Amino acid sequence: MRIGELARRTGVSERALRYYEEQGLLTPQRRPSGYRVYGDADVAVVRRIRILLGAGLNTAQILEILPCIVDEDGWLTPDCPELVDGLLQQRNRIDEAIGELETTRANLDSIIGAERRVS
């Protein structure tokens, strides 16, 4: 299938698909004319990429772990034991960011509350 069909089947823009290719996440075949040709398996790869992006991973991280991610009945699971440690580190980083945002929100709430007390 050509890039437009893959975009339609995955709901991902052609521009994003080209970006995934630039990042090494997709490797379509090329016709002599230069047109990209994708297989049915690429639909599943794009789905995994989208889920991993939604989980907060960047494309460099996804490139590294994509070969170790298996899609089992719609659930992504790690197939390489060492992958779990890296994902736990990623989750810990997100937990820290959440904590910092909660502190920031509490500080802002305090400032807003002080302003209302003065008015």
Side-chain angles (χ1 to χ4, degrees):
M1 81 187 84
R2 299 219 346 228
I3 194 168
E5 176 67 11
L6 183 62
R8 187 187 65 72
R9 288 179 60 183
T10 61
V12 174
S13 71
E14 291 181 22
R15 182 177 179 182
L17 294 173
R18 285 187 206 93
Y19 176 74
Y20 297 163
E21 182 182 355
E22 288 172 12
Q23 299 301 306
L25 300 172
L26 284 175
T27 53
Q29 300 294 316
R30 292 282 188 156
R31 290 188 176 166
S33 62
Y35 286 112
R36 295 167 177 85
V37 179
Y38 297 91
D40 288 332
D42 291 316
V43 173
V45 171
V46 171
R47 179 184 174 280
R48 289 194 298 271
I49 292 168
R50 299 301 292 175
I51 291 170
L52 293 168
L53 285 169
L57 301 175
N58 63 43
T59 55
Q61 292 167 317
I62 293 171
L63 180 61
E64 186 177 326
I65 70 168
L66 196 56
C68 291
I69 294 291
V70 178
D71 192 340
E72 294 181 354
D73 299 324
W75 294 95
L76 296 188
T77 57
D79 194 37
C80 306
E82 65 276 7
L83 179 60
V84 174
D85 289 337
L87 293 175
L88 286 170
Q89 288 175 355
Q90 178 71 7
R91 188 180 69 190
N92 290 340
R93 186 191 62 76
I94 290 169
D95 286 342
E96 289 175 11
I98 290 170
E100 290 172 6
L101 286 171
E102 287 174 339
T103 299
T104 301
R105 182 181 58 204
N107 289 337
L108 187 56
D109 287 345
S110 177
I111 293 167
I112 291 168
E115 172 62 26
R116 289 188 176 168
R117 286 190 299 272
V118 171
S119 299

PDB file of all heavy atoms in Angstrom, residues 53-85:
ATOM      1  N   LEU A  53       4.331   6.623  21.933  1.00  0.00           N
ATOM      2  CA  LEU A  53       4.394   8.088  22.016  1.00  0.00           C
ATOM      3  C   LEU A  53       3.422   8.597  23.072  1.00  0.00           C
ATOM      4  O   LEU A  53       3.752   9.501  23.849  1.00  0.00           O
ATOM      5  CB  LEU A  53       4.072   8.719  20.657  1.00  0.00           C
ATOM      6  CG  LEU A  53       5.161   8.649  19.585  1.00  0.00           C
ATOM      7  CD1 LEU A  53       4.601   9.059  18.230  1.00  0.00           C
ATOM      8  CD2 LEU A  53       6.358   9.501  19.967  1.00  0.00           C
ATOM      9  N   GLY A  54       2.233   8.019  23.103  1.00  0.00           N
ATOM     10  CA  GLY A  54       1.231   8.396  24.097  1.00  0.00           C
ATOM     11  C   GLY A  54       1.648   8.061  25.518  1.00  0.00           C
ATOM     12  O   GLY A  54       1.158   8.663  26.473  1.00  0.00           O
ATOM     13  N   ALA A  55       2.564   7.102  25.650  1.00  0.00           N
ATOM     14  CA  ALA A  55       3.078   6.727  26.970  1.00  0.00           C
ATOM     15  C   ALA A  55       4.235   7.624  27.399  1.00  0.00           C
ATOM     16  O   ALA A  55       4.837   7.406  28.452  1.00  0.00           O
ATOM     17  CB  ALA A  55       3.520   5.263  26.970  1.00  0.00           C
ATOM     18  N   GLY A  56       4.547   8.624  26.582  1.00  0.00           N
ATOM     19  CA  GLY A  56       5.573   9.587  26.976  1.00  0.00           C
ATOM     20  C   GLY A  56       6.972   9.270  26.482  1.00  0.00           C
ATOM     21  O   GLY A  56       7.922   9.954  26.854  1.00  0.00           O
ATOM     22  N   LEU A  57       7.124   8.266  25.646  1.00  0.00           N
ATOM     23  CA  LEU A  57       8.446   7.948  25.120  1.00  0.00           C
ATOM     24  C   LEU A  57       8.727   8.805  23.891  1.00  0.00           C
ATOM     25  O   LEU A  57       7.810   9.138  23.136  1.00  0.00           O
ATOM     26  CB  LEU A  57       8.524   6.468  24.737  1.00  0.00           C
ATOM     27  CG  LEU A  57       8.259   5.470  25.857  1.00  0.00           C
ATOM     28  CD1 LEU A  57       8.249   4.055  25.315  1.00  0.00           C
ATOM     29  CD2 LEU A  57       9.282   5.602  26.965  1.00  0.00           C
ATOM     30  N   ASN A  58       9.982   9.151  23.694  1.00  0.00           N
ATOM     31  CA  ASN A  58      10.335   9.890  22.489  1.00  0.00           C
ATOM     32  C   ASN A  58      10.740   8.911  21.390  1.00  0.00           C
ATOM     33  O   ASN A  58      10.887   7.709  21.632  1.00  0.00           O
ATOM     34  CB  ASN A  58      11.424  10.938  22.774  1.00  0.00           C
ATOM     35  CG  ASN A  58      12.732  10.314  23.232  1.00  0.00           C
ATOM     36  OD1 ASN A  58      13.187   9.311  22.689  1.00  0.00           O
ATOM     37  ND2 ASN A  58      13.343  10.920  24.236  1.00  0.00           N
ATOM     38  N   THR A  59      10.927   9.416  20.180  1.00  0.00           N
ATOM     39  CA  THR A  59      11.185   8.523  19.053  1.00  0.00           C
ATOM     40  C   THR A  59      12.508   7.763  19.197  1.00  0.00           C
ATOM     41  O   THR A  59      12.607   6.624  18.738  1.00  0.00           O
ATOM     42  CB  THR A  59      11.142   9.277  17.716  1.00  0.00           C
ATOM     43  OG1 THR A  59      12.056  10.370  17.753  1.00  0.00           O
ATOM     44  CG2 THR A  59       9.735   9.764  17.404  1.00  0.00           C
ATOM     45  N   ALA A  60      13.500   8.367  19.821  1.00  0.00           N
ATOM     46  CA  ALA A  60      14.774   7.660  20.029  1.00  0.00           C
ATOM     47  C   ALA A  60      14.568   6.471  20.963  1.00  0.00           C
ATOM     48  O   ALA A  60      15.110   5.383  20.731  1.00  0.00           O
ATOM     49  CB  ALA A  60      15.828   8.615  20.583  1.00  0.00           C
ATOM     50  N   GLN A  61      13.793   6.675  22.020  1.00  0.00           N
ATOM     51  CA  GLN A  61      13.503   5.576  22.939  1.00  0.00           C
ATOM     52  C   GLN A  61      12.679   4.504  22.241  1.00  0.00           C
ATOM     53  O   GLN A  61      12.930   3.308  22.414  1.00  0.00           O
ATOM     54  CB  GLN A  61      12.747   6.093  24.161  1.00  0.00           C
ATOM     55  CG  GLN A  61      13.575   6.995  25.048  1.00  0.00           C
ATOM     56  CD  GLN A  61      12.726   7.741  26.068  1.00  0.00           C
ATOM     57  OE1 GLN A  61      11.652   8.246  25.745  1.00  0.00           O
ATOM     58  NE2 GLN A  61      13.226   7.809  27.290  1.00  0.00           N
ATOM     59  N   ILE A  62      11.711   4.929  21.445  1.00  0.00           N
ATOM     60  CA  ILE A  62      10.861   3.976  20.734  1.00  0.00           C
ATOM     61  C   ILE A  62      11.691   3.150  19.760  1.00  0.00           C
ATOM     62  O   ILE A  62      11.518   1.929  19.661  1.00  0.00           O
ATOM     63  CB  ILE A  62       9.702   4.700  20.022  1.00  0.00           C
ATOM     64  CG1 ILE A  62       8.757   5.306  21.067  1.00  0.00           C
ATOM     65  CG2 ILE A  62       8.944   3.744  19.105  1.00  0.00           C
ATOM     66  CD1 ILE A  62       7.703   6.223  20.492  1.00  0.00           C
ATOM     67  N   LEU A  63      12.608   3.783  19.059  1.00  0.00           N
ATOM     68  CA  LEU A  63      13.471   3.066  18.122  1.00  0.00           C
ATOM     69  C   LEU A  63      14.230   1.953  18.830  1.00  0.00           C
ATOM     70  O   LEU A  63      14.376   0.850  18.311  1.00  0.00           O
ATOM     71  CB  LEU A  63      14.445   4.038  17.453  1.00  0.00           C
ATOM     72  CG  LEU A  63      15.420   3.439  16.447  1.00  0.00           C
ATOM     73  CD1 LEU A  63      14.676   2.804  15.281  1.00  0.00           C
ATOM     74  CD2 LEU A  63      16.399   4.499  15.960  1.00  0.00           C
ATOM     75  N   GLU A  64      14.671   2.254  20.035  1.00  0.00           N
ATOM     76  CA  GLU A  64      15.441   1.283  20.806  1.00  0.00           C
ATOM     77  C   GLU A  64      14.579   0.114  21.286  1.00  0.00           C
ATOM     78  O   GLU A  64      15.017  -1.034  21.264  1.00  0.00           O
ATOM     79  CB  GLU A  64      16.077   1.991  22.007  1.00  0.00           C
ATOM     80  CG  GLU A  64      17.012   1.124  22.807  1.00  0.00           C
ATOM     81  CD  GLU A  64      17.665   1.893  23.937  1.00  0.00           C
ATOM     82  OE1 GLU A  64      17.930   3.092  23.784  1.00  0.00           O
ATOM     83  OE2 GLU A  64      17.897   1.275  24.986  1.00  0.00           O
ATOM     84  N   ILE A  65      13.353   0.391  21.711  1.00  0.00           N
ATOM     85  CA  ILE A  65      12.554  -0.668  22.327  1.00  0.00           C
ATOM     86  C   ILE A  65      11.539  -1.324  21.393  1.00  0.00           C
ATOM     87  O   ILE A  65      11.024  -2.394  21.716  1.00  0.00           O
ATOM     88  CB  ILE A  65      11.826  -0.161  23.586  1.00  0.00           C
ATOM     89  CG1 ILE A  65      10.718   0.820  23.233  1.00  0.00           C
ATOM     90  CG2 ILE A  65      12.796   0.428  24.577  1.00  0.00           C
ATOM     91  CD1 ILE A  65       9.797   1.132  24.379  1.00  0.00           C
ATOM     92  N   LEU A  66      11.262  -0.719  20.254  1.00  0.00           N
ATOM     93  CA  LEU A  66      10.236  -1.237  19.353  1.00  0.00           C
ATOM     94  C   LEU A  66      10.419  -2.716  19.018  1.00  0.00           C
ATOM     95  O   LEU A  66       9.436  -3.468  19.006  1.00  0.00           O
ATOM     96  CB  LEU A  66      10.162  -0.386  18.091  1.00  0.00           C
ATOM     97  CG  LEU A  66       8.928  -0.536  17.222  1.00  0.00           C
ATOM     98  CD1 LEU A  66       7.644  -0.264  18.008  1.00  0.00           C
ATOM     99  CD2 LEU A  66       9.012   0.391  16.030  1.00  0.00           C
ATOM    100  N   PRO A  67      11.653  -3.186  18.782  1.00  0.00           N
ATOM    101  CA  PRO A  67      11.806  -4.614  18.485  1.00  0.00           C
ATOM    102  C   PRO A  67      11.439  -5.531  19.660  1.00  0.00           C
ATOM    103  O   PRO A  67      11.195  -6.716  19.467  1.00  0.00           O
ATOM    104  CB  PRO A  67      13.291  -4.762  18.146  1.00  0.00           C
ATOM    105  CG  PRO A  67      13.753  -3.391  17.800  1.00  0.00           C
ATOM    106  CD  PRO A  67      12.900  -2.458  18.608  1.00  0.00           C
ATOM    107  N   CYS A  68      11.387  -4.967  20.857  1.00  0.00           N
ATOM    108  CA  CYS A  68      11.088  -5.771  22.044  1.00  0.00           C
ATOM    109  C   CYS A  68       9.640  -5.639  22.507  1.00  0.00           C
ATOM    110  O   CYS A  68       9.294  -6.127  23.585  1.00  0.00           O
ATOM    111  CB  CYS A  68      12.008  -5.356  23.199  1.00  0.00           C
ATOM    112  SG  CYS A  68      13.722  -5.822  22.937  1.00  0.00           S
ATOM    113  N   ILE A  69       8.818  -4.979  21.736  1.00  0.00           N
ATOM    114  CA  ILE A  69       7.412  -4.795  22.105  1.00  0.00           C
ATOM    115  C   ILE A  69       6.553  -5.723  21.262  1.00  0.00           C
ATOM    116  O   ILE A  69       6.662  -5.738  20.043  1.00  0.00           O
ATOM    117  CB  ILE A  69       6.972  -3.329  21.909  1.00  0.00           C
ATOM    118  CG1 ILE A  69       7.699  -2.410  22.868  1.00  0.00           C
ATOM    119  CG2 ILE A  69       5.476  -3.172  22.071  1.00  0.00           C
ATOM    120  CD1 ILE A  69       7.314  -2.571  24.319  1.00  0.00           C
ATOM    121  N   VAL A  70       5.717  -6.481  21.934  1.00  0.00           N
ATOM    122  CA  VAL A  70       4.832  -7.426  21.263  1.00  0.00           C
ATOM    123  C   VAL A  70       3.391  -6.981  21.492  1.00  0.00           C
ATOM    124  O   VAL A  70       3.031  -6.554  22.596  1.00  0.00           O
ATOM    125  CB  VAL A  70       5.037  -8.850  21.830  1.00  0.00           C
ATOM    126  CG1 VAL A  70       4.091  -9.836  21.190  1.00  0.00           C
ATOM    127  CG2 VAL A  70       6.478  -9.285  21.642  1.00  0.00           C
ATOM    128  N   ASP A  71       2.591  -7.074  20.469  1.00  0.00           N
ATOM    129  CA  ASP A  71       1.171  -6.740  20.556  1.00  0.00           C
ATOM    130  C   ASP A  71       0.405  -8.045  20.765  1.00  0.00           C
ATOM    131  O   ASP A  71       0.306  -8.867  19.870  1.00  0.00           O
ATOM    132  CB  ASP A  71       0.721  -6.050  19.271  1.00  0.00           C
ATOM    133  CG  ASP A  71      -0.649  -5.421  19.392  1.00  0.00           C
ATOM    134  OD1 ASP A  71      -1.417  -5.802  20.292  1.00  0.00           O
ATOM    135  OD2 ASP A  71      -0.956  -4.543  18.568  1.00  0.00           O
ATOM    136  N   GLU A  72      -0.104  -8.219  21.972  1.00  0.00           N
ATOM    137  CA  GLU A  72      -0.855  -9.431  22.307  1.00  0.00           C
ATOM    138  C   GLU A  72      -2.308  -9.063  22.542  1.00  0.00           C
ATOM    139  O   GLU A  72      -2.647  -8.488  23.579  1.00  0.00           O
ATOM    140  CB  GLU A  72      -0.276 -10.104  23.548  1.00  0.00           C
ATOM    141  CG  GLU A  72       1.116 -10.654  23.331  1.00  0.00           C
ATOM    142  CD  GLU A  72       1.676 -11.341  24.563  1.00  0.00           C
ATOM    143  OE1 GLU A  72       1.039 -11.296  25.637  1.00  0.00           O
ATOM    144  OE2 GLU A  72       2.778 -11.913  24.449  1.00  0.00           O
ATOM    145  N   ASP A  73      -3.142  -9.368  21.572  1.00  0.00           N
ATOM    146  CA  ASP A  73      -4.578  -9.110  21.674  1.00  0.00           C
ATOM    147  C   ASP A  73      -4.883  -7.657  22.023  1.00  0.00           C
ATOM    148  O   ASP A  73      -5.746  -7.364  22.842  1.00  0.00           O
ATOM    149  CB  ASP A  73      -5.217 -10.047  22.708  1.00  0.00           C
ATOM    150  CG  ASP A  73      -5.070 -11.506  22.332  1.00  0.00           C
ATOM    151  OD1 ASP A  73      -5.144 -11.818  21.129  1.00  0.00           O
ATOM    152  OD2 ASP A  73      -4.877 -12.346  23.233  1.00  0.00           O
ATOM    153  N   GLY A  74      -4.157  -6.733  21.410  1.00  0.00           N
ATOM    154  CA  GLY A  74      -4.410  -5.320  21.631  1.00  0.00           C
ATOM    155  C   GLY A  74      -3.644  -4.710  22.802  1.00  0.00           C
ATOM    156  O   GLY A  74      -3.743  -3.521  23.040  1.00  0.00           O
ATOM    157  N   TRP A  75      -2.895  -5.510  23.528  1.00  0.00           N
ATOM    158  CA  TRP A  75      -2.096  -5.019  24.657  1.00  0.00           C
ATOM    159  C   TRP A  75      -0.628  -5.104  24.286  1.00  0.00           C
ATOM    160  O   TRP A  75      -0.150  -6.140  23.833  1.00  0.00           O
ATOM    161  CB  TRP A  75      -2.336  -5.864  25.910  1.00  0.00           C
ATOM    162  CG  TRP A  75      -3.715  -5.743  26.433  1.00  0.00           C
ATOM    163  CD1 TRP A  75      -4.771  -6.566  26.175  1.00  0.00           C
ATOM    164  CD2 TRP A  75      -4.214  -4.728  27.299  1.00  0.00           C
ATOM    165  NE1 TRP A  75      -5.889  -6.125  26.825  1.00  0.00           N
ATOM    166  CE2 TRP A  75      -5.576  -4.999  27.530  1.00  0.00           C
ATOM    167  CE3 TRP A  75      -3.636  -3.611  27.893  1.00  0.00           C
ATOM    168  CZ2 TRP A  75      -6.366  -4.187  28.335  1.00  0.00           C
ATOM    169  CZ3 TRP A  75      -4.427  -2.815  28.693  1.00  0.00           C
ATOM    170  CH2 TRP A  75      -5.776  -3.114  28.907  1.00  0.00           C
ATOM    171  N   LEU A  76       0.101  -4.016  24.490  1.00  0.00           N
ATOM    172  CA  LEU A  76       1.538  -4.046  24.247  1.00  0.00           C
ATOM    173  C   LEU A  76       2.229  -4.605  25.472  1.00  0.00           C
ATOM    174  O   LEU A  76       1.959  -4.190  26.597  1.00  0.00           O
ATOM    175  CB  LEU A  76       2.072  -2.640  23.957  1.00  0.00           C
ATOM    176  CG  LEU A  76       1.551  -1.961  22.702  1.00  0.00           C
ATOM    177  CD1 LEU A  76       2.319  -0.676  22.456  1.00  0.00           C
ATOM    178  CD2 LEU A  76       1.621  -2.858  21.493  1.00  0.00           C
ATOM    179  N   THR A  77       3.125  -5.556  25.241  1.00  0.00           N
ATOM    180  CA  THR A  77       3.882  -6.148  26.342  1.00  0.00           C
ATOM    181  C   THR A  77       5.354  -6.216  25.945  1.00  0.00           C
ATOM    182  O   THR A  77       5.677  -6.432  24.779  1.00  0.00           O
ATOM    183  CB  THR A  77       3.376  -7.566  26.690  1.00  0.00           C
ATOM    184  OG1 THR A  77       3.452  -8.381  25.516  1.00  0.00           O
ATOM    185  CG2 THR A  77       1.952  -7.546  27.184  1.00  0.00           C
ATOM    186  N   PRO A  78       6.244  -6.051  26.930  1.00  0.00           N
ATOM    187  CA  PRO A  78       7.676  -6.149  26.632  1.00  0.00           C
ATOM    188  C   PRO A  78       8.065  -7.614  26.443  1.00  0.00           C
ATOM    189  O   PRO A  78       7.653  -8.481  27.212  1.00  0.00           O
ATOM    190  CB  PRO A  78       8.340  -5.542  27.865  1.00  0.00           C
ATOM    191  CG  PRO A  78       7.328  -5.602  28.944  1.00  0.00           C
ATOM    192  CD  PRO A  78       5.984  -5.639  28.299  1.00  0.00           C
ATOM    193  N   ASP A  79       8.864  -7.868  25.417  1.00  0.00           N
ATOM    194  CA  ASP A  79       9.323  -9.222  25.125  1.00  0.00           C
ATOM    195  C   ASP A  79      10.765  -9.437  25.568  1.00  0.00           C
ATOM    196  O   ASP A  79      11.248 -10.551  25.558  1.00  0.00           O
ATOM    197  CB  ASP A  79       9.177  -9.495  23.624  1.00  0.00           C
ATOM    198  CG  ASP A  79       9.297 -10.963  23.270  1.00  0.00           C
ATOM    199  OD1 ASP A  79       8.816 -11.797  24.064  1.00  0.00           O
ATOM    200  OD2 ASP A  79       9.860 -11.267  22.200  1.00  0.00           O
ATOM    201  N   CYS A  80      11.455  -8.374  25.943  1.00  0.00           N
ATOM    202  CA  CYS A  80      12.841  -8.450  26.400  1.00  0.00           C
ATOM    203  C   CYS A  80      12.867  -8.083  27.884  1.00  0.00           C
ATOM    204  O   CYS A  80      12.403  -6.999  28.254  1.00  0.00           O
ATOM    205  CB  CYS A  80      13.717  -7.483  25.617  1.00  0.00           C
ATOM    206  SG  CYS A  80      13.631  -7.675  23.828  1.00  0.00           S
ATOM    207  N   PRO A  81      13.403  -8.945  28.730  1.00  0.00           N
ATOM    208  CA  PRO A  81      13.396  -8.672  30.181  1.00  0.00           C
ATOM    209  C   PRO A  81      14.038  -7.342  30.560  1.00  0.00           C
ATOM    210  O   PRO A  81      13.556  -6.640  31.442  1.00  0.00           O
ATOM    211  CB  PRO A  81      14.187  -9.837  30.778  1.00  0.00           C
ATOM    212  CG  PRO A  81      14.177 -10.900  29.733  1.00  0.00           C
ATOM    213  CD  PRO A  81      14.037 -10.216  28.409  1.00  0.00           C
ATOM    214  N   GLU A  82      15.111  -6.954  29.883  1.00  0.00           N
ATOM    215  CA  GLU A  82      15.803  -5.711  30.230  1.00  0.00           C
ATOM    216  C   GLU A  82      14.974  -4.477  29.899  1.00  0.00           C
ATOM    217  O   GLU A  82      15.216  -3.394  30.426  1.00  0.00           O
ATOM    218  CB  GLU A  82      17.166  -5.626  29.538  1.00  0.00           C
ATOM    219  CG  GLU A  82      17.112  -5.548  28.028  1.00  0.00           C
ATOM    220  CD  GLU A  82      16.985  -6.887  27.303  1.00  0.00           C
ATOM    221  OE1 GLU A  82      16.802  -7.924  27.950  1.00  0.00           O
ATOM    222  OE2 GLU A  82      17.056  -6.868  26.072  1.00  0.00           O
ATOM    223  N   LEU A  83      13.966  -4.633  29.088  1.00  0.00           N
ATOM    224  CA  LEU A  83      13.114  -3.516  28.711  1.00  0.00           C
ATOM    225  C   LEU A  83      12.293  -3.006  29.889  1.00  0.00           C
ATOM    226  O   LEU A  83      12.072  -1.811  30.031  1.00  0.00           O
ATOM    227  CB  LEU A  83      12.185  -3.931  27.562  1.00  0.00           C
ATOM    228  CG  LEU A  83      11.207  -2.888  27.061  1.00  0.00           C
ATOM    229  CD1 LEU A  83      11.929  -1.656  26.551  1.00  0.00           C
ATOM    230  CD2 LEU A  83      10.342  -3.483  25.964  1.00  0.00           C
ATOM    231  N   VAL A  84      11.882  -3.895  30.756  1.00  0.00           N
ATOM    232  CA  VAL A  84      11.029  -3.510  31.889  1.00  0.00           C
ATOM    233  C   VAL A  84      11.744  -2.500  32.779  1.00  0.00           C
ATOM    234  O   VAL A  84      11.141  -1.523  33.225  1.00  0.00           O
ATOM    235  CB  VAL A  84      10.581  -4.755  32.688  1.00  0.00           C
ATOM    236  CG1 VAL A  84       9.813  -4.349  33.934  1.00  0.00           C
ATOM    237  CG2 VAL A  84       9.740  -5.664  31.801  1.00  0.00           C
ATOM    238  N   ASP A  85      13.031  -2.687  33.033  1.00  0.00           N
ATOM    239  CA  ASP A  85      13.775  -1.743  33.875  1.00  0.00           C
ATOM    240  C   ASP A  85      13.769  -0.345  33.267  1.00  0.00           C
ATOM    241  O   ASP A  85      13.573   0.644  33.967  1.00  0.00           O
ATOM    242  CB  ASP A  85      15.219  -2.217  34.087  1.00  0.00           C
ATOM    243  CG  ASP A  85      15.316  -3.434  34.988  1.00  0.00           C
ATOM    244  OD1 ASP A  85      14.380  -3.656  35.787  1.00  0.00           O
ATOM    245  OD2 ASP A  85      16.320  -4.156  34.884  1.00  0.00           O
TER     246      ASP A  85
END
